[in-house]
Every structure is written in structure tokens, then in C-alpha cells.
Amino acid sequence: MQLTHLDEKNHPTMVDVSQKEQTTREAVASGVIRVSSEAYKAVKENSAKKGPVLQTAVIASIMGAKETSRLIPMCHPLLLSSIKTDIEELEESCAFKLWVKVKLNGQTGVEMEAMMGVSVGLLTIYDMLKAIDKGMVIENIQLESKMGGKNGDFRR
Amino acid sequence: MQLTHLDEKNHPTMVDVSQKEQTTREAVASGVIRVSSEAYKAVKENSAKKGPVLQTAVIASIMGAKETSRLIPMCHPLLLSSIKTDIEELEESCAFKLWVKVKLNGQTGVEMEAMMGVSVGLLTIYDMLKAIDKGMVIENIQLESKMGGKNGDFRR
Amino acid sequence: MQLTHLDEKNHPTMVDVSQKEQTTREAVASGVIRVSSEAYKAVKENSAKKGPVLQTAVIASIMGAKETSRLIPMCHPLLLSSIKTDIEELEESCAFKLWVKVKLNGQTGVEMEAMMGVSVGLLTIYDMLKAIDKGMVIENIQLESKMGGKNGDFRR
Amino acid sequence: MQLTHLDEKNHPTMVDVSQKEQTTREAVASGVIRVSSEAYKAVKENSAKKGPVLQTAVIASIMGAKETSRLIPMCHPLLLSSIKTDIEELEESCAFKLWVKVKLNGQTGVEMEAMMGVSVGLLTIYDMLKAIDKGMVIENIQLESKMGGKNGDFRR
Amino acid sequence: MQLTHLDEKNHPTMVDVSQKEQTTREAVASGVIRVSSEAYKAVKENSAKKGPVLQTAVIASIMGAKETSRLIPMCHPLLLSSIKTDIEELEESCAFKLWVKVKLNGQTGVEMEAMMGVSVGLLTIYDMLKAIDKGMVIENIQLESKMGGKNGDFRR
Amino acid sequence: MQLTHLDEKNHPTMVDVSQKEQTTREAVASGVIRVSSEAYKAVKENSAKKGPVLQTAVIASIMGAKETSRLIPMCHPLLLSSIKTDIEELEESCAFKLWVKVKLNGQTGVEMEAMMGVSVGLLTIYDMLKAIDKGMVIENIQLESKMGGKNGDFRR
């Protein structure tokens, strides 16, 4: 088993993708933040008016996805062609589930961009609610699906 | 209940901390990544030599914590005075638990910096292992403790 | 007349503020974007629901203000303690006026941060409406007031 | 009328350009800063020697244009192939007019990059002259022309 | 002789590469840091265990190379497809030589990215050893070779 | 000998400076770029007019110094209070020597900021001259002096 980011001297390396095919690639990731019922209500009542907690999270999520190659040391800079988000309100469990879908025409996948978008979006929800509840937990950040590239598709 | 980041017109706002006391503040956050046994082994065998997966994660974690105010829209820029990390190897569950502790002498807390450090570190582990296992899940990113500031300490 | 950013060899310089007093400083800037009636209506009808054009602008404005020292070559990095925005809807002239107020306890003023916040916020409105109207004009970006610091206050 | 940056739940989105044609695109924007006669003279006398106010503005303008996708939330990262600037000295009105032309071979336009370049350049002039004149006004930031892309050309 | 970055008014400009051919380009740069024998030993004894000084330098080098277009004013943003490093331990002269190789399929060369990677990597070694030795010297940062592009190859 | 950036598990760490005294600190670094006589002449003839190669380098140097904590993994974010540069023209050896002096009131030294400023400035000269000469060498980046802090002053 060879870790693809490690060269023969065991130094990290940004792997060579120059020979990989330029194809349409897509990745979807998701994650959840569980909050107190008080915090959940605060978001809901607010979003009944103008919803800025979730709006702010969506914007942070998109901007965060664009920063991936600057934050994850071995990620390639990429020309993302689309970033879309969705937020599910899981009322019974007082949670929000954030989905991020990223598209690219390029030589490497966009899993990390989708995962980063989810992470930054959920952290933003945490930030905007932490005056009410510091015990919130971010859970299940995971890749949902991946299309394109020679290694085949992935679906959880 | 007033969400502290929302002003009276319901626009997000970077709240005024200018009257808050300058004190020593500290926050500890943690999070876990569950990986396949194959991926776990790859890290371990590697770290038996030079361990660059976890080293890279630690470095990304520290650098990511420093980027918090640029990624989380309403966070204040802060002069962090210390960032430390620890990684627990949870062999039985094939998981790594990353701890990040951040310190500051300043006017607002460093919870977000610790949470961001954990997130970026775990995403880096994901990135460096995703050639082996795309199904890894990031879990339980949470604040462990917080000290300093007028709202009192927090301990999970 | 000596331009304060130029040293004796006429090279730009980041002027020395180390001897300046640490005081509370505040700056307010404003600016206007004039749009077509069609674009104006699009924002209004939308903001009657969830208003994301202006919400996005407000968030971009705050995040942009935090980037000032990285964009304006001779600006000092600053620990901003508050950023607030307001948007006036100038219905008769089909325009939006964005106000940004920035606060700091520090050794130099925050005029540039307020001006940058206004600029990035207005550009964001332009971006989100440009599919409807490319002829929009950004106008009258200006300092409204400034408080604190040894040179005295400024009020337009 | 559908705002192209808003998805069906009214969340902002980075629109999908993956099906758009890869063409040569160009955008020119301009803007003006009106300054006091004293400030104008300071620039001129200086630029008679080495001109660093305007040189600094030009450099900031080019660097700022490259930051567009990080500052404007829904902008795509782009591989700009050229950025050129020009400064007109409007002696009668004590003003400087900054032009920025941006080129790209890509799938979406570069209007925002040209507008951002103008804004950051003018703000830099403000910064370097604000010790002399705090009342300067930035005006008429606008798109002058746009070429390429399926929506046709634009000329003011 | 015309400096390619200067336009006719002698303002810097990001030169137009839109007509240049899209080819595979590669650049290799190197540089050296000379340290005290005490500092050299500290790295070696450490790298006998887990080597984090050099690991940290390698990671910083790769991340720094990705920042080139944000740091060097007239550099184009580029989609780097590979970044590899190597560190030679020059035991007799108590020095480390860092090599960085960058690859791109694109319209302009990657010399600056390789040079920037070397610089940031060596500065990181300096940072991590400066508690032991402040007199270390960084030397001979230079282009080793360059391939691709119409101007032909370069080999030192 | 304990490397101060390494914790007990040999992970890098951003060392705790929260107990260090807040003092005035200053660091001066320098470095040299040796160029061909043709390149040297190009700069000189140009700087006889408006000198933009060296002006661009000076601006890049100052902006680069401000980026230090984002590029060097274990560096603390700092509120630099002054950055000044000087360029010596070493006509006999066809070289330019860049000096950068950084000041801070804070808890840790600014050596890295001065060294980074020198590096980015010299790389900018390389970039702007590389169409004429690819063989230029950057040499002798070193700390010249350091004042403030409990470890005493340093002078080369």
C-alpha cells in the first residue's frame, strides 16, 4: 500500500496529476450539527423572518470551499465551476444537515472542496449560535458521492 | 433570546467586543476521524518510520486555526499566543482523535479557533488517506473546555 | 508637504505607529450603487422573502473589511473590535446606500477598513445583479466620520 | 426574473458554468477619485520624481484583481491571463481616473475582476493621501466594456 | 531591451499570456541554509526520530509555492499540477539544500513557484531553529532548470 | 537541546508566548540578488525614469512581511507597527541588496517578518527581470540585528 501523497523519502508531496484526464468531476459531501432546542428555535424563529444564520452559513460554506487548496497542504488549486448547498432542518433531533455539491472540469477530484465547504458551513452555524449553546456537536462529515475520474464513482 | 451576531435589521454583524476585558483565554476542542483498518494501518506503519500523515495534519491544524477569522464571517481577528495539538490513536475503533488547544490574551474567546484547527486537521487526514478509503467519517467535533471571559468557564 | 507613506528615498513605507497612543478609534464610511429599476425590483421582491442579495453583501462587506491590510499595501494589520453595516434603500433613485462602521482599540485609524467594507459590499451587490444590469454604477464611496487619534475627529 | 446566484430555496449559490463555452473574454472598468488640490499637487510633484503613489495604486490594483474570487462570495476562481491598468490625471477637476483591463480564456466573464481592480487601486490612492485630505471621494466605478461570452458584448 | 512587466507608461503590468501555447512546463529551483553545528545536530537527532523540522519545511514549501501569485505582484494565478521537494543534508558544511520541482500544463512558466517554494521552505527551517542559532544564512536560491515554453529550456 | 517548536510527542507546536513580556521589538534583515550586467542596466535605466522594478519589489516586500504568519507554519500572528525597506545598488557586482526593518510592540520577535520581507522583495526583482536573465542568484538572506525581548539583542 503506497500513500499517494508521500514520496520515496517519506516527505509529503503534491502528487502529479498532469497525466490525468481532464473530465467533469462532481462531489457531494454532507455533515450535521446537533444543537440545543433553544438554539434550534432561535434559528427557526429568525429564519421565519430573514434567516441570516443559515444564509451566513451557506455563504461561508461556498467561500470556504474555494479556500481548500490553501488550507489542505497537499490539495491542488482548482477552477471550481459550481458550488451548491442545501440545508435540511432535522426538527426532531434539533439538528441541521448541510449538503455541499462541487463541480469541476479538471484533472483531479473535488471531494476535499465539498468536505471543506461542509465543515466551514457547520462551524459558522456553531459560531453564530455559541452564545446560546456551547455544547453543540458537529457530526458525520462525510463524502456522499463522487463522479468522474478514472477510479470510478463512489456512492455511500 | 437575542442572537448576538444579528443586528436590529437582522443583518449579521461582527459584535462589539471593545468594552470586554482583556484576559487570558483558552479553549480546547476535539474531533475524531474513523477510517478503515487498511487506512489505519497505512498511517501506523508509516508513522513507525516518519509519520508524515499525522505530522501534516498537525501542521495544517495549526495553520488552519490561524485562518479562522478569514473563514468564519463574524469572527474577530485575534493575536493567538499558543496553539498546541495532540493526536490519540484509537486502535480498537480504527480512529484518530485530534485535540487542539488555543490560548489568547484578548477580548474574546478562542473556541472557533480550536474548532477550526480540529476541522482542518481532520480534513487533512482525510485528504492524505482518501486514495485508500473514501468512506472515512469525521465525527464529534466539539468544544471540550473554555476558560476566561466574563461568561465563565465551560467544561463538557 | 510630506506624504507620510513615502520614505526619504521615495520608496513606500508602512509608517511607524509604535509611538502613537492606544485609543478607541471609530470610522464610518458609506457608498452608493445605482441600479436599473428592474434590478432594484429584483432585490426588493427577493428581500421580501429572504433578501439574500443584501445579506450576501453585508457578509462580504464585513469579511472584506477584515482583509484591508492584505489588500492595501501600506495598511497595518489591526485587531478590529467591531464591524457593523446598514443598508438604506433609496427607492426613488433605484439605489442602495451601504454604511460600514468599524471600531478598534489601537494605534492607528480604521478609515481604510470602513472604506474597504463599503467597496466590497457594493461590488457584491453588483456581482449578484449583473445578470440583469451591467450598467450599474458605484458612487460616492467616502468617509463619513472618524473618531479617536491625535489628529482630531472628522465629520463630513 | 430569476437572480442567477439564488437557488430555489433562496440560498446564494456559485452558479454552474461547466457547460459554458471556453472563450476569450475581456472586461474594462474604470473609476475616479476626486482629491483636494493640495493632495493632487502632492501626487504630481512626487510623480515628477518617482511617482510612488500611483505606482503603488497600480500594483495594488493588479494584486486586488487577483483576489476577486476570495472577496466576492459567489465569484468563480479564474486563471486571469492579463491585467493592465491606466491612470488618467484629470487636472482640472483634481481627480485621477483608473482604468483596469482584464483578460481570460475561460468559462465566465471578468467584469468583477476589473471592477475589483479599480476599487482596490482607488482605495490605495485614498490610503496614501489621507494624511493630507480625508474628504476625498471615490466615484463612478463602472464597467466600460465587456467582450466574449454568449450574452454578447457590452459597451457603455 | 524592454522589461516585459512594464507597460508604455512605465506602470507594472501582468503581461498578456493569452496567446501563448498551453504546454507542459516544469521548473526546478534550489537553495541552501547554512546553520551552526549545534543546530545541524538538533535537526539530525530529531529527524532520527520523527524529523519534524524538515517535514514542516517541506509542507511549508509546498504551501508557499501555491501562494506565489498572491505574493509576487505580477505573477499569474496558475493551476499547478505537481509540487515535489527534496532535501539534501550537507553534513560537512552543516547545511541543508532544498530542491523544489513544480509542474504545470499552462501558458506561462513556473520558475517563480519553484523559487518561492524554496524560499518559504528555507525560511521555515530558519524559524524552527532560530532559538538555537540566529546567525544562519540562506544562500544560493536559484533556478536549476526549466522546461517547456517557446523560449526554450534552461539548465544551469 | 530542546527545539522550542516541538512538543513532547515531537509534533510541531506554536509555542506559548502568553507569559512573555510585551516590549518594543525590532529586527533588520538583508539579502542580495546578483544579476547580469544587462539586467542591472535595465533596472538602472528604468529607475532613472520611474524605477518600477525596485518600487514593485519594495511594495511586495512590505506586503510579504505582513503574510509571514500565514506562510511560516509556527509563526504567531503579529500587529506589526512599522515596516521600512532600503535598497542598495551594488554597481560593481551587478547586485541589489534589500534591507527590511520591522517593528512591533508585542510578545515575540519579528525576525521572521524581516526575513520574509527580504525574500519576497528579492523574488519580485527576480520575477521582473527573468525575461532578461534566468541565471540570477539570491544570496545571503540573513538577520542583521534584533532588539528587544528577554534573550537579548543580536547584531551580526
Side-chain angles (χ1 to χ4, degrees):
Chain A
M1 172 69 47
Q2 182 70 29
L3 291 178
T4 58
H5 287 306
L6 304 178
D7 65 16
E8 56 277 18
K9 275 200 184 172
N10 205 23
H11 290 149
T13 179
M14 199 173 94
V15 295
D16 191 346
V17 299
S18 61
Q19 299 312 312
K20 291 174 80 175
E21 218 184 332
Q22 183 111 3
T23 62
T24 299
R25 292 152 192 274
E26 194 180 293
V28 179
S30 71
V32 167
I33 184 166
R34 269 190 304 112
V35 308
S36 68
S37 62
E38 189 186 21
Y40 190 82
K41 218 174 295 171
V43 174
K44 288 295 292 178
E45 275 160 25
N46 214 276
S47 73
K49 298 178 216 149
K50 280 198 174 183
V53 171
L54 300 185
Q55 290 285 11
T56 306
V58 162
I59 292 168
S61 172
I62 291 170
M63 296 177 85
K66 291 190 276 184
E67 295 297 300
T68 304
S69 71
R70 312 191 63 234
L71 291 163
I72 305 299
M74 301 304 139
C75 276
H76 294 79
L78 297 177
L79 285 186
L80 307 180
S81 55
S82 168
I83 308 173
K84 289 185 192 303
T85 63
D86 196 14
I87 297 183
E88 269 182 77
E89 304 182 355
L90 306 174
E91 190 151 4
E92 295 203 7
S93 46
C94 281
F96 299 97
K97 181 168 187 174
L98 174 60
W99 299 75
V100 176
K101 179 164 83 174
V102 180
K103 276 175 89 170
L104 173 79
N105 296 327
Q107 293 179 301
T108 186
V110 286
E111 299 96 297
M112 292 317 301
E113 282 70 16
M115 300 278 286
M116 179 62 75
V118 169
S119 299
V120 174
L122 295 175
L123 289 166
T124 299
I125 295 177
Y126 187 98
D127 180 48
M128 297 187 83
L129 293 171
K130 71 179 193 292
I132 302 174
D133 176 14
K134 283 183 182 26
M136 293 172 286
V137 178
I138 293 175
E139 285 178 346
N140 291 334
I141 299 178
Q142 60 191 20
L143 188 66
E144 293 288 344
S145 64
K146 167 188 187 298
M147 277 172 32
K150 75 162 198 276
N151 293 319
D153 296 350
F154 169 87
R155 189 163 300 275
R156 181 168 293 272
Chain B
M1 172 70 48
Q2 183 67 34
L3 290 179
T4 56
H5 287 306
L6 303 177
D7 66 16
E8 57 275 21
K9 277 198 183 174
N10 206 22
H11 289 150
T13 179
M14 198 174 95
V15 296
D16 191 345
V17 298
S18 61
Q19 301 311 312
K20 291 173 78 175
E21 218 183 333
Q22 182 110 5
T23 60
T24 298
R25 292 151 191 275
E26 193 180 293
V28 179
S30 71
V32 166
I33 185 165
R34 267 192 304 111
V35 308
S36 68
S37 62
E38 189 186 21
Y40 190 83
K41 218 175 295 172
V43 174
K44 288 296 293 179
E45 275 160 23
N46 215 277
S47 73
K49 298 177 215 150
K50 278 197 174 184
V53 172
L54 301 184
Q55 289 285 10
T56 306
V58 162
I59 292 168
S61 173
I62 290 171
M63 295 177 86
K66 291 191 276 183
E67 294 297 298
T68 303
S69 71
R70 313 192 60 234
L71 291 163
I72 305 299
M74 301 304 139
C75 276
H76 295 79
L78 296 177
L79 286 187
L80 307 179
S81 54
S82 167
I83 308 174
K84 290 185 191 303
T85 62
D86 195 14
I87 298 183
E88 269 181 76
E89 305 182 354
L90 307 173
E91 190 150 5
E92 295 203 6
S93 46
C94 280
F96 299 97
K97 181 168 187 174
L98 174 60
W99 300 74
V100 176
K101 179 164 83 173
V102 180
K103 277 175 89 169
L104 173 79
N105 296 325
Q107 293 179 300
T108 186
V110 286
E111 297 95 301
M112 293 316 301
E113 281 71 15
M115 300 279 284
M116 179 61 76
V118 168
S119 299
V120 174
L122 295 175
L123 289 165
T124 299
I125 295 176
Y126 187 97
D127 180 48
M128 296 187 83
L129 293 171
K130 72 181 193 294
I132 302 174
D133 176 13
K134 283 183 182 26
M136 292 172 288
V137 179
I138 292 174
E139 284 178 346
N140 292 333
I141 299 178
Q142 60 191 21
L143 189 65
E144 293 288 344
S145 64
K146 169 189 185 298
M147 278 172 31
K150 74 163 198 275
N151 293 318
D153 296 350
F154 169 87
R155 189 164 298 274
R156 182 169 292 273
Chain C
M1 172 71 48
Q2 183 69 30
L3 289 178
T4 57
H5 288 305
L6 304 177
D7 66 16
E8 57 276 20
K9 274 198 183 172
N10 206 23
H11 290 150
T13 180
M14 198 173 95
V15 294
D16 191 347
V17 299
S18 60
Q19 300 312 312
K20 292 175 78 174
E21 218 183 333
Q22 182 111 2
T23 62
T24 299
R25 292 152 192 275
E26 194 181 294
V28 179
S30 71
V32 167
I33 184 165
R34 268 192 304 110
V35 308
S36 69
S37 62
E38 189 185 20
Y40 190 83
K41 217 175 296 171
V43 175
K44 289 295 294 179
E45 275 160 25
N46 213 276
S47 73
K49 299 178 215 148
K50 279 199 173 184
V53 171
L54 301 185
Q55 289 285 10
T56 306
V58 161
I59 292 168
S61 172
I62 290 171
M63 294 177 86
K66 291 191 275 184
E67 295 296 300
T68 304
S69 70
R70 311 190 63 232
L71 291 163
I72 305 299
M74 302 304 139
C75 275
H76 294 78
L78 296 177
L79 286 187
L80 308 180
S81 54
S82 168
I83 308 174
K84 289 184 191 303
T85 62
D86 196 14
I87 297 183
E88 269 182 78
E89 304 181 355
L90 306 174
E91 189 150 5
E92 295 204 6
S93 46
C94 280
F96 299 97
K97 181 169 187 175
L98 174 60
W99 300 74
V100 176
K101 179 164 84 174
V102 180
K103 276 175 88 170
L104 173 79
N105 296 327
Q107 292 179 301
T108 185
V110 286
E111 298 97 298
M112 293 316 300
E113 282 71 16
M115 300 279 285
M116 178 61 75
V118 168
S119 299
V120 173
L122 295 175
L123 288 166
T124 299
I125 295 176
Y126 187 97
D127 179 49
M128 296 187 83
L129 293 171
K130 72 180 194 292
I132 302 173
D133 176 13
K134 283 183 183 25
M136 293 171 288
V137 179
I138 292 174
E139 283 178 347
N140 292 334
I141 299 178
Q142 60 191 21
L143 188 65
E144 293 288 346
S145 64
K146 169 188 185 299
M147 276 173 31
K150 74 162 199 276
N151 293 318
D153 295 350
F154 169 87
R155 189 163 300 275
R156 183 167 292 272
Chain D
M1 172 71 48
Q2 184 68 33
L3 291 177
T4 56
H5 287 306
L6 304 177
D7 66 16
E8 57 277 18
K9 277 200 183 172
N10 205 23
H11 289 150
T13 179
M14 198 173 95
V15 295
D16 190 346
V17 300
S18 60
Q19 300 311 311
K20 293 174 78 175
E21 218 183 334
Q22 183 112 2
T23 61
T24 298
R25 293 152 191 274
E26 193 180 294
V28 178
S30 71
V32 166
I33 185 165
R34 268 192 303 111
V35 308
S36 68
S37 62
E38 188 185 21
Y40 190 83
K41 216 174 299 171
V43 174
K44 288 296 293 179
E45 275 161 23
N46 214 276
S47 74
K49 298 179 216 149
K50 280 198 174 184
V53 171
L54 301 185
Q55 289 284 11
T56 306
V58 162
I59 291 168
S61 174
I62 290 170
M63 295 178 85
K66 291 191 276 184
E67 295 296 299
T68 303
S69 71
R70 312 191 63 235
L71 291 164
I72 304 299
M74 301 304 140
C75 275
H76 294 78
L78 296 177
L79 286 187
L80 308 179
S81 54
S82 167
I83 308 172
K84 290 186 191 303
T85 63
D86 196 15
I87 297 182
E88 269 181 76
E89 304 182 355
L90 307 173
E91 188 150 5
E92 295 205 6
S93 46
C94 281
F96 299 96
K97 181 169 187 173
L98 173 60
W99 300 75
V100 176
K101 180 165 81 172
V102 180
K103 278 176 88 168
L104 174 79
N105 296 327
Q107 293 180 299
T108 187
V110 286
E111 298 95 300
M112 293 315 302
E113 282 70 16
M115 300 279 285
M116 178 62 75
V118 169
S119 299
V120 174
L122 295 175
L123 288 166
T124 299
I125 295 177
Y126 187 97
D127 180 48
M128 295 187 83
L129 293 172
K130 71 180 195 292
I132 302 174
D133 176 13
K134 283 181 183 27
M136 293 171 288
V137 179
I138 292 174
E139 283 178 346
N140 293 334
I141 299 178
Q142 60 191 20
L143 188 64
E144 294 288 343
S145 65
K146 168 188 185 301
M147 277 172 32
K150 75 163 199 276
N151 293 317
D153 295 351
F154 168 87
R155 188 163 301 275
R156 182 166 293 273
Chain E
M1 171 73 45
Q2 183 69 31
L3 290 178
T4 58
H5 287 305
L6 303 177
D7 66 15
E8 57 276 20
K9 274 199 184 172
N10 205 23
H11 290 150
T13 181
M14 197 173 95
V15 295
D16 191 347
V17 299
S18 60
Q19 300 312 312
K20 292 173 79 174
E21 218 184 333
Q22 183 111 2
T23 61
T24 298
R25 292 152 192 275
E26 194 181 293
V28 179
S30 71
V32 167
I33 184 165
R34 268 192 304 111
V35 308
S36 68
S37 62
E38 188 186 21
Y40 190 83
K41 218 174 296 172
V43 174
K44 288 295 292 179
E45 275 160 24
N46 214 276
S47 73
K49 299 178 214 151
K50 280 197 174 185
V53 171
L54 301 185
Q55 289 285 10
T56 306
V58 162
I59 292 169
S61 172
I62 290 171
M63 297 178 84
K66 292 191 275 184
E67 295 297 299
T68 304
S69 71
R70 313 191 62 234
L71 291 164
I72 305 300
M74 300 305 140
C75 275
H76 294 79
L78 296 178
L79 287 186
L80 308 180
S81 54
S82 167
I83 308 174
K84 290 186 192 303
T85 62
D86 196 15
I87 297 184
E88 270 181 76
E89 304 182 355
L90 307 173
E91 189 151 3
E92 295 205 6
S93 47
C94 280
F96 299 96
K97 181 169 187 175
L98 174 60
W99 299 75
V100 176
K101 178 164 82 174
V102 180
K103 276 175 88 170
L104 173 80
N105 295 326
Q107 292 179 300
T108 186
V110 287
E111 298 95 298
M112 292 316 300
E113 283 71 14
M115 300 278 285
M116 179 63 75
V118 168
S119 299
V120 174
L122 294 176
L123 288 166
T124 298
I125 295 176
Y126 187 97
D127 180 48
M128 296 187 84
L129 293 172
K130 71 181 194 293
I132 302 173
D133 176 12
K134 284 183 182 25
M136 292 171 287
V137 179
I138 293 174
E139 283 178 346
N140 292 333
I141 298 178
Q142 60 191 20
L143 188 64
E144 293 288 344
S145 64
K146 169 188 185 297
M147 276 172 33
K150 74 162 199 276
N151 293 318
D153 296 349
F154 169 87
R155 190 164 298 275
R156 183 168 291 273
Chain F
M1 171 72 46
Q2 183 67 32
L3 290 177
T4 57
H5 287 305
L6 303 178
D7 67 15
E8 57 276 19
K9 275 199 184 172
N10 206 21
H11 290 150
T13 180
M14 198 174 95
V15 295
D16 191 347
V17 299
S18 60
Q19 301 311 312
K20 291 173 78 175
E21 218 183 333
Q22 183 111 3
T23 60
T24 299
R25 292 152 192 275
E26 195 180 292
V28 178
S30 72
V32 167
I33 184 166
R34 268 191 304 112
V35 307
S36 69
S37 62
E38 189 185 20
Y40 190 83
K41 218 175 295 172
V43 174
K44 288 296 293 179
E45 274 160 27
N46 214 276
S47 72
K49 300 178 214 149
K50 279 197 172 184
V53 172
L54 301 185
Q55 289 285 10
T56 306
V58 161
I59 292 168
S61 173
I62 290 171
M63 296 178 84
K66 291 191 276 183
E67 295 296 300
T68 303
S69 70
R70 311 191 63 234
L71 292 163
I72 305 300
M74 301 304 139
C75 275
H76 294 78
L78 296 178
L79 286 187
L80 308 180
S81 54
S82 168
I83 308 174
K84 289 184 191 303
T85 61
D86 195 15
I87 297 183
E88 270 181 76
E89 305 181 355
L90 307 173
E91 190 150 3
E92 295 204 6
S93 47
C94 280
F96 299 97
K97 181 169 187 174
L98 173 59
W99 299 75
V100 176
K101 179 164 83 175
V102 180
K103 276 175 89 169
L104 173 79
N105 295 327
Q107 293 179 299
T108 186
V110 287
E111 297 95 299
M112 292 316 301
E113 283 70 16
M115 299 279 284
M116 178 63 75
V118 168
S119 299
V120 174
L122 295 175
L123 288 166
T124 299
I125 294 176
Y126 187 97
D127 180 48
M128 296 187 82
L129 293 172
K130 73 181 192 293
I132 302 173
D133 176 13
K134 283 183 183 25
M136 292 172 287
V137 179
I138 293 175
E139 283 178 346
N140 292 334
I141 300 179
Q142 60 191 22
L143 188 65
E144 293 288 345
S145 64
K146 169 189 186 297
M147 276 173 30
K150 75 164 198 274
N151 293 318
D153 296 351
F154 169 87
R155 189 164 297 277
R156 183 167 292 274

